Each structure stands twice: as C-alpha cells, then as structure tokens.
Amino acid sequence: MMVSLIGMPGCGKSTVGRQLARRLQWPFEDADARIEQRIGCSIRSFFEHEGELRFRDIEAETLDELTKGPAGVLSTGGGAVLRSENRRVLRDRTQVIYLRSTPEELYRRLRHDRNRPLLQVADPLRKLKELYAERDPLYRETAHFVLDTGRPSVATLVNMICMQLELAGKLPAATPVRASGD
C-alpha cells in the first residue's frame, strides 16, 4: 500500500512524510525532488523558463510513475491536485492524507521562504488565501483522510495518520485493543 500526502505549500508534507516512512519502515518519495532530478534544475527556475503548464505535465507523468511503485510514502507538490488525472491516480492507487493548514498558519511558516514560485508576489498572504480557496475543495475531493496541522507536532501528526490508517483497516493495529470486560 502507498500513502500519499497532499496539501498546501508549507503544510508539512515532506517533513511528515519522511517521519511517517521511518515509522512504517517504508521508502519515502518526494514528488518535487523527483521532478527536480528529472528536469535538472529547481522547480522555481523551471517555472520561470518553461511555465506552469509544462511543469504540470511533468508533475502528472511523475505522479503516474511514483504511484505504480511498491508500498511507500509519497509527498506531493501543493498543486498536484489541480489536474483531475492526478486526483484520480492518487485516490485510486494510494491512501490520501490531506494535511490541512490555514493560509495564516502557512504564511507564518513561509513568509521568509524564497523557493516557492507561487509565493514570490507582493502580498503572499493574499496569494495563500486565493490558493487555499481554489485548492481546498480539490484536496478534500481527493483525500481519504483530512488532518488539521495547526497545533500538533510532527510526531503527533504521524501518530494520527497511523491511527487513521489502522482504524480504516489499512495497517495492522500496533497494539491489540481489548474489549472492556476481558
């Protein structure tokens, strides 16, 4: 089984994904890192020279390949859900976890980050609100599970994901639960 993490830029997909993979003892794949290997430059540079449409084509090809792999944890790019084919591939081939963060939380985390091409604008908070309004319904449509990333630590989020997957019967239970009266 493959678990994929979706959500806005800066919500913690890569950080949580690495820890989740370590916890499950599964391989971890970062779709954006794989894309950068493939294109031979940063996503930001590619966006500037080739445009978002060409980037989304490569992203779709990469997600298609990565979701055919064995068990693992996959961190996707924030805009991966913009294409219906990506939403379908993720939902059909993986257990999708939406790490939901508010635009205000994301702004606090990202306000000094210069590597996010879509946030290199005069008013990044407004841009985050626009992106959230556009993408939140798509994340929800794609996700099997939604987790709010507001306060929990990375370790707590990993525990919450494992519990959700266990309750859904997608992972073996870590410890047997005894019925009361046993």
Side-chain angles (χ1 to χ4, degrees):
M1 178 188 67
M2 183 171 287
V3 174
S4 59
L5 302 175
I6 62 173
M8 291 283 290
C11 72
K13 298 178 298 285
S14 296
T15 303
V16 171
R18 277 188 197 89
Q19 293 301 319
L20 179 62
R22 188 171 295 138
R23 165 88 172 269
L24 297 173
Q25 298 180 343
W26 289 356
F28 172 73
E29 283 283 355
D30 183 312
D32 282 350
R34 181 64 75 91
I35 290 167
E36 287 184 339
Q37 284 177 341
R38 191 174 188 160
I39 61 179
C41 63
S42 71
I43 289 172
R44 179 180 179 179
S45 176
F46 191 85
F47 249 72
E48 290 169 3
H49 295 98
E50 302 286 333
E52 184 175 357
L53 187 61
R54 180 72 188 115
F55 170 77
R56 298 293 173 204
D57 291 341
I58 293 169
E59 181 179 53
E61 293 165 12
T62 304
L63 286 173
D64 182 53
E65 291 167 16
L66 290 173
T67 56
K68 290 177 181 171
V73 176
L74 172 64
S75 167
T76 66
V81 297
L82 293 174
R83 288 203 173 167
S84 61
E85 68 190 274
N86 293 346
R87 295 193 302 274
R88 183 186 48 74
V89 160
L90 289 169
R91 183 143 178 101
D92 291 352
R93 297 182 191 166
T94 74
Q95 287 297 301
V96 184
I97 313 289
Y98 170 23
L99 298 179
R100 191 183 148 298
S101 297
T102 66
E104 293 76 16
E105 289 169 51
L106 295 167
Y107 179 72
R108 279 195 301 278
R109 292 182 202 162
L110 299 175
R111 64 183 177 267
H112 302 298
D113 189 330
R114 299 289 166 248
N115 293 315
R116 312 261 179 184
L118 293 175
L119 299 181
Q120 305 313 305
V121 294
D123 187 348
L125 178 57
R126 191 173 103 224
K127 182 65 174 180
L128 284 166
K129 288 178 179 180
E130 290 168 4
L131 290 172
Y132 182 85
E134 174 189 21
R135 295 177 180 183
D136 179 65
L138 301 175
Y139 293 135
R140 290 177 183 279
E141 171 191 323
T142 309
H144 294 98
F145 307 99
V146 178
L147 291 177
D148 287 309
T149 65
R151 292 281 174 243
S153 66
V154 170
T156 301
L157 285 168
V158 167
N159 286 338
M160 291 166 67
I161 291 169
C162 288
M163 284 186 345
Q164 288 292 331
L165 293 171
E166 287 171 14
L167 289 170
K170 302 299 180 183
L171 287 179
T175 53
V177 179
R178 293 175 53 144
S180 58
D182 279 356

